[in-house]
Amino acid sequence: MGEHLAILDAVLANIRDAVVLTDGDRRLVRVNTAFEALTGHGADVLLECVGDHATLTFDLLSNAMSTADGGLWQGKLRCADGIDRLFDITVSAVNGEEIFPTHYLGLVRLSSGEDARRFGHDELTGLPNRDIFLDRVDQSVLQANRSGAPVALMIMGLDRFTLVNDALGHGAGDRLLIEVARRLRQCVRETDTAVRLEGDKFALVMNIADVDDSVIVAEKVLKTVKEPFGIDGQEVVCTFSIGIAIYPQDASSASAVIKQAENALHHAKVSGRNQYQFFSRDMNRKAKTRLDLEARMRRALANQEFAVFYQPKVQAETNRIVGAEALVRWLDPENGMISPGEFIPIAEETGLIEQIGSWVLRRSCEENKSWQVKGLVPVKVSVNVSARQFRARNLLDIVSGILSETGLEPRWLELEITESMLMNDVESAVSKMTAIREMGIGLSIDDFGTGYSSLSYLGRFPITTLKIDRAFIADVDTNPKTAEIARAIIGLSRGLNLEVVAEGAEVADHINFLRDNGCSTVQGYYYSRPVPADQFERMLTEGVLYHT
Ligand code: C2E
Ligand code: MG
Ligand code: MG
């Protein structure tokens, strides 16, 4: 008998099918390694009979096996811990020489398609889905309450997945997700649960001994995903942002710990992606402020609490106003004036920037047109365009719509964009910029010198103006190195036949330096702070700058 079992073991170990074997009395004899790999469990697995919802111990499974009538029984099985997949099992009775079966042999396979999905699986990647995730978090929290060992929850988002989808198509996007899921599975232990929540969002639920365990896993995940993927013959590189929250340290319930992990994920994304971030109380406070600010911004749009301020651009030789930059202000009835630095980044994240940006553009064009209608000297107004606005497919339609509605000629409008917006996808940026230029609108690179632009691209961008960042102006009169950089940017613009504007000139020495070095157009507190429309109109009318 011993010899037979040794042969049996060798056979079972070498076949790919997942096999469970009981004796004639339905006592478990063997499960093979393929069975363990498939179900994630050894011989002690509890199984659930899906058909009649009875929970089965292995005894009951073997009971079912023994009813293998006419030598064959088929059914569905599910691991009773509720998290794993649905299996098909086919049982045959082995009679040998005897009247009664001496053994029962079960072949186990993963159920396909519809059934799997119905039982909590994501069809594309085969990972458990959100239902299973919620269930698993609940169970882990209960287990943590019993054992005292913490639960780590990681929620992970692929960075810039939409770019892959847009560039290579949805088919390639799907294949990437399948590959990501496969790598993710490799990063975790059998007892951990990896799930796909939705789209490009995944999660891991782990019972851990120590917070450091989650650091190790997070680092492993980041590293594994960062390796290039081969998708349709193309090399695709993508990264993860990961938010981690720990129960009970960060939250007192399953739903709260999920929320905290989401907050941490958001923090990882805005901190530059390709990283993990742990939840912290401070983050929670920030998240609350963010939500609050978003709701207030929506109300502010509806209640028209935004205004455009104008900061003159002045010709240094003559002190004449030759243009203005439109700068949005939020006049909050409760908190007074809120500066764009505080709300633009959040508007950008939430997408509200598209509405706010369109409003600013329309308002500036209307007001500029109204000054011209009053017979004032025409000036060019520059409007800042955020990254999200620039990327939006309908940017050109919005701009041309506003120009025709307000009747402003395109040459009196300039759009300010920053270098970093252009570097992600140079081709599409160039074609968009070309279209803007063809409409007759000016294009300026704002904060020039602070981004990562490579000078080799500068010649390819159809721009009209370079705007020297105020960081280079601030100590231009005292720091010879900064002065040299400012001179170089001025020289560069001249060489490329571009206009050059300096921003942030605060004192007479700045103005003198700029004038002496060939930058004739200057914007800064020296001449005027950004002012409300009526005040700017007065400056245009009287031709006088009000020093502030
Ligand atoms: P920016 O486009 O570089 O605008 C120049 C900023 O420098 C303005 O700040 C302006 O008030 C400030 N500034 C001008 N002269 C001086 C000076 O002499 N000294 C100093 N210290 N600062 C000076 P503001 O109005 O707070 O705007 C900050 C940023 O917010 C802008 O930087 C721009 O990136 C963004 N922003 C403002 N309005 C809009 C808008 O309508 N849409 C978008 N997307 N972004 C906007
Ligand atoms: Mg600007
Ligand atoms: Mg600027």
Side-chain angles (χ1 to χ4, degrees), residues 311 325-329 339-341 344 348 353 356-357 360 383-387 389 416 418 446-447 467 469-470 503-506 523-526 528-530:
Q311 185 175 34
E325 177 170 12
L327 294 157
V328 69
R329 295 291 181 265
S339 78
I344 294 280
E348 175 82 11
I353 191 66
I356 298 177
V360 171
V383 178
N384 293 284
V385 172
S386 81
Q389 276 176 284
E416 292 193 4
T418 58
D446 201 357
D447 305 340
K467 213 166 170 191
D469 189 71
R470 70 165 185 267
E503 67 181 345
E506 294 187 346
Q523 176 187 342
Y525 292 174
Y526 176 78
S528 169
R529 287 183 179 255

Side-chain angles (χ1 to χ4, degrees), residues 33-52:
T33 37
F35 177 96
E36 289 178 357
L38 180 68
T39 63
H41 295 277
D44 55 344
V45 66
L46 296 173
L47 297 156
E48 188 182 5
C49 173
V50 170
D52 57 18

Side-chain angles (χ1 to χ4, degrees), residues 9 12 19-22 26-48 56-62 65 77 79-80 108 190:
D9 276 344
L12 288 183
V19 173
V20 51
L21 183 74
T22 69
R26 308 182 302 265
R27 281 189 301 261
L28 178 68
V29 178
R30 286 287 183 277
V31 294
N32 67 349
T33 37
F35 177 96
E36 289 178 357
L38 180 68
T39 63
H41 295 277
D44 55 344
V45 66
L46 296 173
L47 297 156
E48 188 182 5
L56 296 179
T57 59
F58 189 84
D59 277 351
L60 291 171
L61 162 71
S62 54
M65 290 174 82
L77 297 165
C79 290
V108 182
E190 241 176 40

Side-chain angles (χ1 to χ4, degrees), residues 49 61 64-65 67-69 71-77 89-92:
C49 173
L61 162 71
M65 290 174 82
T67 62
D69 220 7
L72 210 66
W73 179 84
Q74 282 185 312
K76 292 197 181 295
L77 297 165
I89 180 163
T90 310
V91 182
S92 21

Side-chain angles (χ1 to χ4, degrees), residues 120-395:
H121 275 78
D122 165 43
E123 226 169 339
L124 181 69
T125 61
L127 289 179
N129 65 14
R130 180 177 275 278
D131 296 341
I132 299 288
F133 166 74
L134 296 174
D135 189 48
R136 185 57 201 257
V137 177
D138 277 342
Q139 288 188 32
S140 298
V141 160
L142 290 177
Q143 195 179 326
N145 291 343
R146 280 194 303 270
S147 69
V151 181
L153 187 60
M154 289 188 192
I155 299 188
M156 300 166 281
L158 276 181
D159 300 325
R160 302 195 174 88
F161 176 67
T162 41
L163 284 183
V164 176
N165 251 344
D166 289 350
L168 302 178
H170 288 279
D174 283 353
R175 282 187 282 288
L176 178 65
L177 291 173
I178 292 169
E179 275 304 298
V180 167
R182 201 176 54 76
R183 290 193 191 174
L184 207 54
R185 243 187 242 121
Q186 288 169 356
C187 291
V188 300
R189 297 167 305 182
E190 241 176 40
T191 46
D192 303 334
T193 308
V195 302
R196 177 169 175 232
L197 292 176
E198 68 202 337
D200 60 358
K201 226 166 171 194
F202 296 82
L204 283 180
V205 190
M206 301 179 291
N207 285 89
I208 52 173
D210 193 282
V211 174
D212 286 350
D213 293 352
S214 54
V215 173
I216 294 167
V217 176
E219 277 173 0
K220 195 157 142 197
V221 170
L222 285 180
K223 189 158 163 270
T224 314
V225 168
K226 222 167 18 190
E227 293 295 317
F229 292 90
I231 304 288
D232 298 350
Q234 297 239 30
E235 196 166 272
V236 178
V237 178
C238 75
T239 55
F240 253 142
S241 294
I242 305 180
I244 310 174
I246 313 280
Y247 176 90
Q249 179 185 305
D250 297 330
S252 56
S253 70
S255 61
V257 77
I258 295 173
K259 213 161 85 205
Q260 314 298 45
E262 294 271 10
N263 281 337
L265 169 62
H266 176 83
H267 188 54
K269 290 236 181 220
V270 299
S271 310
R273 305 188 167 93
N274 187 22
Q275 59 185 279
Y276 60 87
Q277 287 284 344
F278 278 91
F279 168 78
S280 72
R281 304 256 158 239
D282 184 42
M283 195 183 288
N284 201 17
R285 220 172 15 249
K286 279 195 194 134
K288 276 213 180 70
T289 317
R290 194 172 66 230
L291 280 178
D292 181 48
L293 199 62
E294 187 190 345
R296 281 169 42 219
M297 265 193 293
R298 284 186 196 283
R299 271 203 305 275
L301 258 176
N303 299 344
Q304 306 193 355
E305 293 169 14
F306 290 105
V308 177
F309 276 36
Y310 296 88
Q311 185 175 34
K313 292 185 189 174
V314 177
Q315 189 152 45
E317 279 96 15
T318 59
N319 275 3
R320 270 188 28 232
I321 300 174
V322 292
E325 177 170 12
L327 294 157
V328 69
R329 295 291 181 265
W330 176 1
L331 309 170
D332 183 351
E334 276 168 43
N335 301 290
M337 192 160 81
I338 305 178
S339 78
E342 277 179 64
F343 65 88
I344 294 280
I346 290 146
E348 175 82 11
E349 276 169 31
T350 56
L352 263 182
I353 191 66
E354 296 195 28
Q355 278 164 273
I356 298 177
S358 298
W359 183 85
V360 171
L361 190 65
R362 182 182 306 273
R363 188 77 177 168
S364 333
C365 291
E366 261 167 22
E367 287 178 326
N368 196 12
K369 179 70 187 180
S370 80
W371 299 324
Q372 293 181 2
V373 168
K374 287 179 186 166
L376 303 178
V377 179
V379 292
K380 193 188 282 181
V381 170
S382 314
V383 178
N384 293 284
V385 172
S386 81
R388 191 153 178 162
Q389 276 176 284
F390 186 72
R391 268 204 321 267
R393 279 184 221 281
N394 57 358
L395 174 72

